[in-house]
Amino acid sequence: MLTLQRIHTTDRPLYDFAEQLMTLSFPPEEYRALDQLRLYADTKPAFHYNVILDDKTPVGLFTYWDFGDFCYGEHFAIDPDRRNGGYGRRALEEVTSRIHPRPLVLEVEMPDNETARRRIRFYQRQGFVLWDSKPYRQPPYRPGYDSLPMLLMAYGDLNPDEAYEAVRARIYREVYGAEIPREEAL
């Protein structure tokens, strides 16, 4: 049985596993500096840094922000040695059942290569809807990096035409400490 366990930096070796998986699974421009991530894990009540466990064995990570009316899934990764074994599907089922009935929103890469298209199809098979008519840029996590073109996907009762602006503003402000650029707000 898969479970999600919230962890903090004092939860060694689970935190070490999750941090190593983060750096292995994402390029540096797609996650905050590790010292800041550690601080968030220990001090931000809305930020949930979770390890995915199969019984007591760590198999992945899922970080999310709980904003009350919706949750934002920031990072999701399965240990490369355990990919393609159903862990991703089962982990998303656990996450969505845990936060239900609140919707879950996540960012995905633009579908301009087969890997990105495969990820989008995976999320769609799990019930996520691609908000492909809404332009979105992921603000930079670190100084010196550029924003990245992404798309949002949502699971649950969330209409993109009605919710997009508020969802984007909340993610920008709470997750990235950024405001919507003037040219995007127009």
Side-chain angles (χ1 to χ4, degrees):
M1 180 173 150
L2 282 191
T3 57
L4 211 60
Q5 180 177 322
R6 189 174 188 177
I7 58 172
H8 302 280
T9 58
T10 56
D11 296 313
R12 306 283 182 195
L14 291 178
Y15 193 90
D16 293 336
F17 166 83
E19 189 172 90
Q20 289 170 0
L21 184 56
M22 177 77 73
T23 61
L24 177 70
S25 301
F26 298 95
E29 64 270 14
E30 291 185 14
Y31 62 91
R32 60 187 43 83
L34 294 179
D35 59 340
Q36 187 181 38
L37 187 58
R38 292 176 195 127
L39 179 68
Y40 280 26
D42 289 341
T43 64
K44 297 258 185 195
F47 181 66
H48 296 251
Y49 198 92
N50 301 286
V51 66
I52 301 164
L53 299 171
D54 184 2
D55 194 21
K56 294 182 180 181
T57 303
V59 298
L61 72 89
F62 192 92
T63 67
Y64 71 92
W65 294 78
D66 186 341
F67 297 131
D69 54 342
F70 76 95
C71 292
Y72 163 69
E74 188 171 16
H75 291 100
F76 176 38
I78 299 296
D79 183 334
D81 294 336
R82 298 176 185 276
R83 290 183 185 155
N84 300 315
Y87 282 109
R89 175 188 53 77
R90 291 171 40 212
L92 280 179
E93 288 171 358
E94 174 63 22
V95 169
T96 54
S97 70
R98 177 179 283 210
I99 66 169
H100 182 77
R102 292 164 294 165
L104 176 63
V105 175
L106 15 115
E107 298 166 339
V108 292
E109 296 169 344
M110 298 298 288
D112 54 11
N113 63 63
E114 187 53 35
T115 300
R117 288 188 291 273
R118 199 170 59 246
R119 268 192 206 109
I120 289 170
R121 287 191 301 267
F122 165 76
Y123 287 120
Q124 288 173 323
R125 285 192 305 273
Q126 309 319 310
F128 284 78
V129 175
L130 183 65
W131 291 3
D132 56 352
S133 66
K134 303 293 183 184
Y136 180 85
R137 293 195 68 83
Q138 179 190 67
Y141 275 107
R142 308 172 195 212
Y145 284 93
D146 292 327
S147 63
L148 299 171
M150 298 273 207
L151 292 171
L152 295 179
M153 295 188 80
Y155 177 90
D157 188 21
L158 202 58
N159 182 319
D161 294 326
E162 297 169 5
Y164 175 75
E165 293 301 330
V167 165
R168 179 174 66 156
R170 188 78 183 263
I171 293 170
Y172 271 44
R173 184 177 61 253
E174 301 293 331
V175 175
Y176 298 103
E179 295 298 322
I180 296 172
R182 187 178 178 100
E183 62 275 6
E184 288 182 35
L186 300 176

